[in-house]
Amino acid sequence: MSRTVRSRLAVMSIVVVLLPVSTLLAQVRREIRIPDIMGYKTLKCDFHMHTVFSDGQVWPTVRVDEAWREGLDAISITDHIEYQPHKADIPTNHNRPYEIALPRARERGILLVRGTEITRSTPPGHFNALFIKDVEPMDTKDLLDCMAAADKQGGFILWNHPGWKPDRKGWFDIHTTIYEKKYLRGIEVVNGRSYYPEAHEWALEKNLTFFGNTDMHAPATRMETTSEDHRPMTLVFATSQTIPALKDAIVAGRTAVWFEDKVIGREEYLEALFEAAISISDIKREQKAAQFTIRNESDLAVQLQRTGNVGPRELALPANAAARIRVAVDGKKKPVELSYVATNFLVGPDKGLPVDFVIAGRYKIEVEVELPDK
Ligand SMILES: [Zn+2]
Ligand SMILES: [Zn+2]
C-alpha cells in the first residue's frame, strides 16, 4: 500500500467515525438525577426565557431542543410584551412563540407553559405571567389592568430578578398592592447567575413560590448537563407530568431551586430531597469503632459540616458518590448519633439544613433528618 493511499484511508476512517458521533451528540438528552419526594414527581423546569419575538436571539423551537438536551421536563417562553427590538423584522404577535414551539414540545415530551414577561421600569420591575391563555388582553398601559387580565385567565404571576437594579431594589408599595390583590404569588430567588437573599427572605415571609430561572436570551451553549455545570432550575413537586399538575404544585408552593452547587427552598422539601438522596448502609459495629457507608444517589452535591461531637468535621459528598466513615465508639450496642448541617441546602439566607444520622446498635439502620424549631 502506497503512503498516499494509506493516508487517504486514514482520513476516510476519521470521517466515517466522526460524523455519526457528532450527529449523535446533538441528539443526546442528559437525564438529571434528582429523586422524587413525598409521593410527588420532581420536575426540572425553567420558566423564564426569550426568543427573537422579544430581545432573545433564537427561534422558539430552539428553546425546546435546548431544554430537552439539558434534561428538563417543562419550560415557559416568556417574551416581553412591551419590548420588541426586532419588530421591524418580526411582527408583534405575543402568542406566536408559544404556538410555534408547541408542536416541537409535544414531540420532545417537554411541557410547554404559555407565558409572557410584563415589563415595567424598576420599581415595580418585571414579572412573568404563567399558565395564561392569551397574551393580547395583557398588552395594557396600566400594570394593574395587565395583572387583572392575567388573573382572569387563571394566570400565575411571579416577580422576576428582584435584585436586578441594586440602586433601586426593594419591596415598594406597589409590591404590597399586587401582593394583597393576590396577583403576586411567586418570586425568582435565582435569576441567571444571581441569587437574591432578600428575595429568599420575602419568599419565606410572604409565602411566595420559589423560582430559579435562566432568563436566557442567547442560544444555550451547554451540550451536556452535569452536577457541576447545569442551568439554574425550578424543581417542581407535582402529582404528574401534566400542565394541570404542574400548575397545582406551583400554586401550592411545592418547589425548590437548584442553583450552582446549592439547593434553595422551604425546609420540608429540602429535607425530603436530602432524605431521598442520602442513605446509610454497610454498618459495621465493633467494640471501639463503628463503620458505615454514606451514599449520595443524586446529582445534588452535599456539603456537610459537623455540629455535634462525633464524625468528621467536614464531609463533602459529590453527586453520585459514597464515603466510608469510621467513628470511635464505646461498645457495640449504643446508637451513634452524628449531627451535621448541610451547608449548601439553604433553608434561609446563610442557613443550611440541619441533619442527624443515627447509626443504631446491632446492625440496625436508621436515618433521621431533624427539623429545627419553627
Ligand atoms: Zn426581565
Ligand atoms: Zn426576561
Side-chain angles (χ1 to χ4, degrees):
M1 207 186 279
S2 76
R3 187 171 285 174
T4 334
V5 172
R6 205 178 300 149
S7 61
R8 207 172 289 153
L9 272 176
V11 168
M12 276 175 67
S13 65
I14 287 168
V15 170
V16 168
V17 170
L18 284 186
L19 266 183
V21 169
S22 60
T23 317
L24 268 177
L25 273 178
Q27 299 289 327
V28 165
R29 169 177 165 93
R30 205 282 198 171
E31 297 287 350
I32 299 167
R33 201 177 181 212
I34 298 178
D36 294 337
I37 56 164
M38 304 159 96
Y40 299 114
K41 211 173 148 45
T42 299
L43 303 178
K44 282 76 75 182
C45 315
D46 183 357
F47 299 107
H48 191 166
M49 59 188 71
H50 297 273
T51 74
V52 287
F53 282 82
S54 63
D55 55 346
Q57 295 158 20
V58 307
W59 192 246
T61 52
V62 175
R63 290 295 179 223
V64 175
D65 292 343
E66 293 166 344
W68 180 82
R69 199 171 67 216
E70 292 184 39
L72 296 186
D73 302 307
I75 60 166
S76 185
I77 294 171
T78 51
D79 279 311
H80 298 282
I81 300 176
E82 304 84 351
Y83 181 52
Q84 281 138 21
H86 309 309
K87 70 177 160 199
D89 297 304
I90 312 235
T92 298
N93 187 336
H94 300 307
N95 288 309
R96 282 305 282 159
Y98 174 83
E99 291 163 3
I100 293 167
L102 189 60
R104 182 78 69 123
R106 288 195 170 136
E107 199 180 293
R108 293 284 201 193
I110 299 278
L111 290 180
L112 185 66
V113 174
R114 197 195 283 257
T116 191
E117 184 162 12
I118 305 163
T119 315
R120 299 292 194 272
S121 54
T122 311
H126 299 186
F127 304 86
N128 274 356
L130 307 176
F131 304 103
I132 47 171
K133 295 185 175 76
D134 182 4
V135 186
E136 294 300 338
M138 294 175 58
D139 194 352
T140 62
K141 207 168 168 3
D142 185 83
L143 179 69
L144 294 181
D145 289 347
C146 171
M147 290 190 169
D151 191 60
K152 206 174 151 195
Q153 300 174 29
F156 182 97
I157 296 170
L158 59 131
W159 184 0
N160 297 342
H161 43 74
W164 179 39
K165 306 256 181 181
D167 53 330
R168 277 176 277 159
K169 69 178 182 182
W171 184 284
F172 290 82
D173 288 349
I174 179 67
H175 300 114
T176 303
T177 303
I178 58 176
Y179 174 69
E180 284 176 353
K181 282 181 177 288
K182 297 193 166 51
Y183 294 156
L184 182 63
R185 292 187 280 171
I187 194 162
E188 278 183 346
V189 172
V190 167
N191 173 289
R193 290 165 185 268
S194 306
Y195 159 63
Y196 310 112
E198 62 274 59
H200 192 167
E201 209 71 80
W202 294 331
L204 292 171
E205 268 171 34
K206 299 168 196 298
N207 204 25
L208 299 168
T209 300
F210 282 70
F211 285 87
N213 298 318
T214 56
D215 197 1
M216 62 210 293
H217 289 71
T221 50
R222 188 179 285 110
M223 291 308 290
E224 198 193 10
T225 291
T226 64
S227 169
E228 293 80 25
D229 182 28
H230 59 89
R231 70 166 82 183
M233 61 187 81
T234 309
L235 306 175
V236 181
F237 311 113
T239 50
S240 65
Q241 192 184 348
T242 60
I243 294 281
L246 187 70
K247 187 179 169 184
D248 282 352
I250 285 173
V251 169
R254 288 199 308 269
T255 68
V257 173
W258 188 29
F259 170 60
E260 295 177 348
D261 63 348
K262 296 171 185 63
V263 188
I264 303 163
R266 284 180 207 292
E267 267 167 29
E268 57 181 314
Y269 304 122
L270 265 48
E271 174 211 0
L273 280 171
F274 185 92
E275 208 172 38
I278 304 295
S279 64
I280 303 269
S281 61
D282 309 314
I283 296 172
K284 195 175 162 200
R285 294 291 304 253
E286 288 164 349
Q287 207 54 37
K288 295 223 179 276
Q291 287 183 56
F292 61 92
T293 297
I294 179 164
R295 199 178 299 277
N296 178 2
E297 286 176 289
S298 78
D299 282 345
L300 309 171
V302 174
Q303 286 142 25
L304 294 167
Q305 204 164 60
R306 195 182 71 195
T307 49
N309 301 317
V310 189
R313 197 177 293 274
E314 281 184 350
L315 182 57
L317 263 185
N320 305 295
R324 187 77 180 152
I325 308 289
R326 186 177 194 279
V327 293
V329 292
D330 184 17
K332 274 188 189 181
K333 289 187 178 169
K334 255 204 243 161
V336 182
E337 200 172 322
L338 295 91
S339 296
Y340 280 84
V341 61
T343 52
N344 65 323
F345 277 51
L346 293 179
V347 296
D350 295 320
K351 188 171 172 231
L353 174 78
V355 292
D356 276 7
F357 307 103
V358 179
I359 314 298
R362 295 189 226 126
Y363 304 94
K364 274 190 189 160
I365 303 165
E366 199 187 329
V367 179
E368 251 179 37
V369 179
E370 209 173 72
L371 285 176
D373 295 329
K374 288 212 173 129

